[in-house]
Structures are given as structure tokens and as C-alpha cells.
Amino acid sequence: MGKSIIQKIRNIGIVAHIDAGKTTTTERILFFTGITHKIGEVHDGQAVMDFMQQEQERGITISSAAITTDWKDHQINIIDTPGHIDFTLEVERSLRVLDGIVMVFCAVGGVEPQSETVWHQADTYKVPRIAFVNKMDRQGSNLHQTIEAMNEMLGANAVLFQIPIGEESDFKGIIDLVTMKAITYEKLDMQISNIPENLRKKAIQLHIRLIEQLADFDESLMEKYLDEEEITVIDIEKAARHAVLNLCITPVFCGSAFKNKGIRLLLDAIVDYLPSPIDRGIVLGTDVNDPGTTISRKPSYRRPFSAIAFKISTDAYVGQQTFIRVYSGELKAGSYIYNSSKREKERVGRILRIHANNREELSTLKAGDIGSLIGMKYTTTGDTLCDKEYPILLENIHYPETVVDMKIEPSSTKERDKLGNALNKLVLEDPSFKVHFDDETEETVISGMGELHLEVIVDRLKTEYKLDVAVGEPAVAFRETITREVRHEYKYKKQTGGRGQFAHIIFRLEPNPKKGIEFIDHIKGGNIPREYIPAVEKGFRKTVEKGLMADYPMVDIKFVLIDGSYHSVDSSEMAFQICTFQGLRTVVNKAAIKLLEPVMKIEINTPDTYMGDIIGDINRRRGKINNMRRYRKGSQKLTGTVPLMEMFGYASALRTHSSGRANYSMEFLKYAPLPKAIEEMIIEERRKKRKG
């Protein structure tokens, strides 16, 4: 019984580039499945899924919203995710827990930068997907051009399951290449009929092509096709489902969400082709007490409970909510569970199922479900929740690097604590947002994924937390790293009349490309007692957080503790922590420390006429255009790289160079060394700031 119920669950995400129509598509899904009785629109701030004030004002999705609905006896848990690159973590943590996704493409814009980013994120988590080409009613829409771009840029193996009846403003409906029926629309009514004669020949050709493409992945279908036996709709759907679940194809559907065309067929496709938790199979984790041992959990009510927390949010009515995806077992309200990431016991106060900004109280969550918990004290994004008798640690969620900093301060000293509490809550909700306090300048600095990200954070402080804050100009978040391996010995000795301070360490610093910050303990024979090793690590990590040369956090550095000594009376944890800090400060020159700057991947869509001016401007900004390809007739898509510090205010410059006809998007690519002259200028500015 349990297995058959889980088979009828679909945990899906609606994902795409900004302005492709994700939220509009979701709003239509909610309308046609009976969750809403009035269609909400993004442009008038009435979308159910965009319930935050900041989303309604800007007409974009900022926070991933979860909602549960039903279609044809199936439970569909939908997460509508942001399309703006500044909120990419919202997509990343949603993909971590989803079983399938609907990729929405604009029929005019085709494959855009965030489409590529999300696609590759889905590849990382091996998430099956179907595609919905939206805005078929728009001028310049081109289904076949979008499919070509999907195959060329994403390697999607896109397969047409539908074609449009009419184009652009004459878009009237859809031909289903599986059932070979025509579907037309009159307001909200949908009529199914035979294919019009003028499109019948084309539809038959594409129907045969669909069968041929599916036969490559299904032996039974191949045999029927070669033996010229009758191939039924069930044969096609079965072969298509198998191919989607194994990431062999991307079925392509089309429509216009705004005009209510194609949504009910898309819902059918979600049920027919996207996986249930059973189809996704077992989830793998590690043994909490033996990280080298792999453990599995089967999607079954009868297995031990396991889940992952993928989002924290604060609600004005119920307080902190912890969104979880349950992989196995069941969870009852009022029960105790184990947070294996933090090694803490948690009590589940209440369980809610979320309908965007509304909520339904539940007594249990079971394998395959998505819901939110009230009462979690220790749990943060990415933590594993499980049965303490059967502990498991599931794969965590990757957090992207922050690239923009901004100074922030309250309007009065009495609001300082209130600001600190608000920032801590926002950090808990959004791990891609960071806060640190500069002891020397006594400034609070917030860091995020881009200017819009920090703009929204500041806006939330003012509206949700009623704080009057002053902010500085956005600034680039530089990083430091070492470029040379260095071995060093340092002895810290201080006598103050009573008990002294003594610590002695020998260590090696190594560049650690793409592996982050690592601490390795190679102490043998008790030359440094075990109780002092954590103090050395703490001293190292605190120092690299602050930086060694210009007070910027360090990246990609390995600290190897080789040897040392201690004094039976004068040594202490504090002495070893100070020794590590001071020892690291003395190797700045020997380790050849370099400043790194964030380099962005940029994509610009421009009419041919303005290409020369735009490329010249990017070159002046120390950027480089690496590729040019036809975007559509008379337009080019330019892709390249450019340092973020050169791109503040670029939107107005691009408008000037293109008479307002070009547009662009950027995403973080990597950190790269600064040119020597710019590095020296930045270091000098930091020195002046410290003195001032």
C-alpha cells in the first residue's frame, strides 16, 4: 500500500532564466489543479508563489516557494525557484531535494545564461527533466530554434512531443505528437479534435521521428517499429518515461502560460514522465561514526527515518520554519529526531504542509513528502535529520562564493543588538549571505552574490525588521591566497611574573587549488599534546578568515602541523592559538600572498550594429569576449569574462552603447589574481583605512 502511494508523488521544481515565465506557469498550474480560484499575475503583484513584498515590487522570484497540489490522483509538490543569478543558492538547494524538474524556456530568448547554470546544476544532481517552451504567442517565438539551442548549448537531446498550431499572435493551440490529436483553446476551455489537414503531413513525419528517437532507448519499441507492428500511445509513453528517468532525452512541450495554453498538457506530462521517489530509488549517505562506510535508505515508510533540511525561513505567524524532504520512514509531530550533522537531538513541535504563504497542519510526514517543521533549535540548511538508533549523514549542499561586500550600520547605537539579531536570522535563512565585523574599523560588513542580493537583504531589514540602516556603496569581495609553499617555525614565549605563556609549532603552508581551507595534523609522539591541536586549528582558521595581507578572507590554503613543543606549566590552548596567529603573520612575504578578484562570466545579447562599441568597452574593462554566435536574425550573443570590479554601473553604459537595445547577464565564474598595479593600490587603500 505504502509503495503505491509513494509512486503517486511528484516532487518537482519549476526552473529557468529570469523572465522566462516560471512563476506564471506555476500560477496556472495552481489554478487548473484547483488550489486557487483566481489567476494571480506577476506583473500586478498578485502571484501566489511570489508572496514576499520584495518579490511583488520587483516582479521577480527571490525565495523558492513550496506548494502542494493534486492532478489525476497524484500529489505534486512544486518548488518555484528564482531565475536571477544572485539567488542561485535557492535553485541549488531545491535541486538537491527534487526528483524532477520542468525547465521553462522563453520561445523568443531560447537558452539564456541562467538556463545553462540551472541545467548544469541539475546535471550535478542527475535530476530528470522535461522542457516547456513558453511564450509561443510572442513575436519572434521560434520552437525549432530553441530546440537547436538546447541541443547545441546544453547537450539536452531534446525530443519534440508537441508542435504549435499557428505562430506568434496566431498561436491557437498544440498538436500532441504522442496521441496525434489537436488541442485548441477558447478562453479557459480546451477542445480536442483531429489534426488540421494542412499540418497532418508534418505531424505524421514528426510522430515517426519521435518513435525513432525513443526506439534508440527501448528494445521493445525498436522491435515493434522494425517489424512494422502497431505502436500504441501506451508503448510511446512507457518508452518515453524510461528514457526520461535515465536522463537519455528531454521531452519538449510548448504553450503560452499567460494565455492558459498548454498547462493542462504539461501537468499530464509531469505525471506521465517525471519520476516518483520510488523511481529515484535509494539515497546514499555515510555512517556518522565511520565516514568511510556508505549507508543507503530506501524510499519506504517501513525504513528508518531520514530527511534533509533544505531551507530555513522565518514566518511572522509561526516563527522559524525548517523545510525538509523526507527520504525514508515517517515523522510524527511531537516526536524526537536526531540531527546527525550537528549531533544534537531535536524535538518536532509541529509539522506543516505549505501552500505558498498559507499552511496546513499535519500529524505526520512520510517518505517522499516535502513539508516544514516548527521547533528546530539547531538545524540549518543542508543538515541531515534521522532516527538516532539508525544514524546516517546525507550529502550536504554546496554554497557559492560571495562576490560583493557592503558596509551597514544602524541609525543609533541602541539598535545595534537588534541589527545583529536580524542579520543572524537572515544568515540562517540564506547561507549565500554572510556577515562579519571588522574589529579594526568597527564596521559591520555584509556579503552576497550580487548587488540585487544585498539590495533585497537591506530592504528586508527595513520592512520586516523595522530597522533604519545606513549602507555604503557595494564593493568587490576580494580574497587572498598563497602562491608558494613555505615551511616555518614559530615560538611564542611570554613571561608576566606569574604563570607564563609558551607554545612552539613547526608548520607548512601549501597552495590548495579548488580544495578550500584544510588543516592537517601530522604530530607524532605527543610533542604537542592532543588537547592543544584544536587550538592550533582554531588559530589557523580565525587567521585565514581575517586574511594575512589586506584583511580579506583567504581561500585554497592548506596548513600542515608538522611538529612543535610545549611547557608542562606555561602552555595553554590560548598560547597555542596566539602562537599560530603570530606565526602565520610572519610568513606573508615568504608565502608570496596574492590578492584575488572575482571574475564573472558575461553574456550580452546585442543587435549586430553595436557589436564593435560593446566589445571595445568590455576590452577597456579588462574583459575578453571569447565567443560570438547568432542570437536571432540581426542579433548576436556575445559570451566572455570580465572582472566584477570593472562592472559597477555597466547597465547604463550598455544602454548608452546600444541605444537601449542590448541586454546582459553575469554570473560568478572564478577568483583570479589581480594585476600587480591594482593589487598595490588596493593594499595601500586598506593601510590608509586602518591608520585612519
Side-chain angles (χ1 to χ4, degrees), residues 349-367:
R350 296 161 63 197
I351 300 174
L352 304 177
R353 175 163 286 150
I354 305 302
H355 300 290
N357 60 336
N358 297 314
R359 52 202 68 78
E360 168 196 358
E361 193 128 0
L362 301 176
S363 59
T364 46
L365 275 181
K366 296 186 176 183

Side-chain angles (χ1 to χ4, degrees), residues 198-468:
N198 65 322
L199 291 171
R200 187 160 184 78
K201 184 179 178 182
K202 180 182 179 183
I204 290 170
Q205 289 173 342
L206 290 171
H207 175 73
I208 293 169
R209 175 67 181 141
L210 168 62
I211 291 170
E212 289 172 345
Q213 287 175 294
L214 293 176
D216 288 341
F217 309 103
D218 191 284
E219 287 184 14
S220 174
L221 190 66
M222 177 68 81
E223 285 175 15
K224 282 193 172 186
Y225 177 68
L226 293 175
D227 294 341
E228 297 184 358
E229 293 181 30
E230 182 189 357
I231 294 173
T232 66
V233 170
I234 292 172
D235 291 330
I236 295 172
E237 289 178 343
K238 183 181 174 185
R241 183 174 180 80
H242 171 78
V244 172
L245 298 189
N246 287 281
L247 305 177
C248 299
I249 65 165
T250 306
V252 179
F253 305 89
C254 62
S256 168
F258 185 63
K259 297 288 180 65
N260 308 305
K261 294 175 181 176
I263 298 301
R264 281 162 282 194
L265 298 178
L266 180 62
L267 277 162
D268 289 342
I270 289 168
V271 166
D272 291 341
Y273 304 122
L274 287 179
S276 71
I278 297 284
D279 296 315
R280 290 289 276 161
I282 62 172
V283 62
L284 297 176
T286 55
D287 189 324
V288 176
N289 301 313
D290 182 9
T293 302
T294 300
I295 305 175
S296 65
R297 287 286 183 270
K298 191 177 178 182
S300 166
Y301 301 162
R302 296 185 179 89
R303 297 300 168 112
F305 171 71
S306 67
I308 193 163
F310 68 94
K311 180 179 171 65
I312 309 291
S313 72
T314 304
D315 184 277
Y317 300 101
V318 298
Q320 183 178 301
Q321 299 179 96
T322 303
F323 285 80
I324 67 166
R325 157 69 196 266
V326 183
Y327 287 100
S328 62
E330 62 178 33
L331 176 65
K332 295 184 185 298
S335 63
Y336 285 91
I337 53 176
Y338 184 58
N339 182 327
S340 56
S341 304
K342 300 285 195 303
R343 305 210 176 197
E344 295 281 358
K345 190 164 78 168
E346 293 267 32
R347 184 180 181 277
V348 180
R350 296 161 63 197
I351 300 174
L352 304 177
R353 175 163 286 150
I354 305 302
H355 300 290
N357 60 336
N358 297 314
R359 52 202 68 78
E360 168 196 358
E361 193 128 0
L362 301 176
S363 59
T364 46
L365 275 181
K366 296 186 176 183
D369 274 337
I370 287 177
S372 75
L373 310 181
I374 309 299
M376 300 291 99
K377 289 183 179 178
Y378 307 104
T379 303
T380 55
T381 299
D383 285 358
T384 299
L385 300 172
C386 59
D387 185 328
K388 191 168 185 181
E389 299 301 314
Y390 302 94
I392 187 173
L393 192 61
L394 302 174
E395 181 189 353
N396 208 322
I397 295 170
H398 165 73
Y399 303 141
E401 286 279 356
T402 57
V403 293
V404 175
D405 290 344
M406 185 186 283
K407 289 181 288 188
I408 186 167
E409 59 181 37
S411 58
S412 63
T413 51
K414 65 181 180 182
E415 286 202 314
R416 190 172 295 280
D417 287 344
K418 192 177 173 185
L419 174 62
N421 291 333
L423 290 173
N424 287 337
K425 286 182 181 178
L426 291 171
V427 168
L428 193 63
E429 286 184 30
D430 180 2
S432 67
F433 170 62
K434 294 183 172 65
V435 179
H436 74 271
F437 185 74
D438 191 317
D439 294 316
E440 292 183 11
T441 61
E442 296 188 342
E443 292 173 336
T444 300
V445 180
I446 58 176
S447 306
M449 297 297 297
E451 291 180 81
L452 179 61
H453 188 193
L454 294 184
E455 180 188 315
V456 168
I457 291 286
V458 171
D459 204 5
R460 289 187 65 190
L461 287 170
K462 292 177 178 177
T463 55
E464 289 177 36
Y465 295 95
K466 309 295 185 237
L467 279 163
D468 183 15

Side-chain angles (χ1 to χ4, degrees), residues 487-490 503-508 520-529 533 536 559-566 576 579-580:
R487 180 184 167 111
H488 193 65
E489 180 175 2
Y490 191 80
H504 171 219
I505 59 171
I506 300 170
F507 63 92
R508 187 172 68 248
I520 308 291
D521 171 22
H522 279 178
I523 292 294
K524 292 185 176 68
N527 289 350
I528 299 177
I533 304 298
V536 177
F559 181 103
V560 182
L561 182 59
I562 302 168
D563 204 353
S565 62
Y566 74 105
F576 273 96
C579 178
T580 306

Side-chain angles (χ1 to χ4, degrees), residues 517-521 533 536-537 540-541 557-559 561:
I517 304 297
E518 271 190 274
F519 176 86
I520 308 291
D521 171 22
I533 304 298
V536 177
E537 181 174 2
F540 161 65
R541 292 191 180 277
I557 179 172
K558 183 191 289 186
F559 181 103
L561 182 59

Side-chain angles (χ1 to χ4, degrees), residues 161-212:
F161 275 56
Q162 296 174 348
I163 55 172
I165 299 172
E167 295 178 347
E168 299 180 342
S169 58
D170 292 327
F171 174 60
K172 294 180 176 62
I174 292 156
I175 293 174
D176 187 328
L177 297 174
V178 176
T179 62
M180 290 299 283
K181 292 291 182 182
I183 297 92
T184 52
Y185 299 86
E186 188 64 42
K187 294 187 178 177
L188 293 176
D189 293 329
M190 186 173 84
Q191 290 90 34
I192 300 173
S193 59
N194 292 326
I195 297 170
E197 277 305 314
N198 65 322
L199 291 171
R200 187 160 184 78
K201 184 179 178 182
K202 180 182 179 183
I204 290 170
Q205 289 173 342
L206 290 171
H207 175 73
I208 293 169
R209 175 67 181 141
L210 168 62
I211 291 170
E212 289 172 345

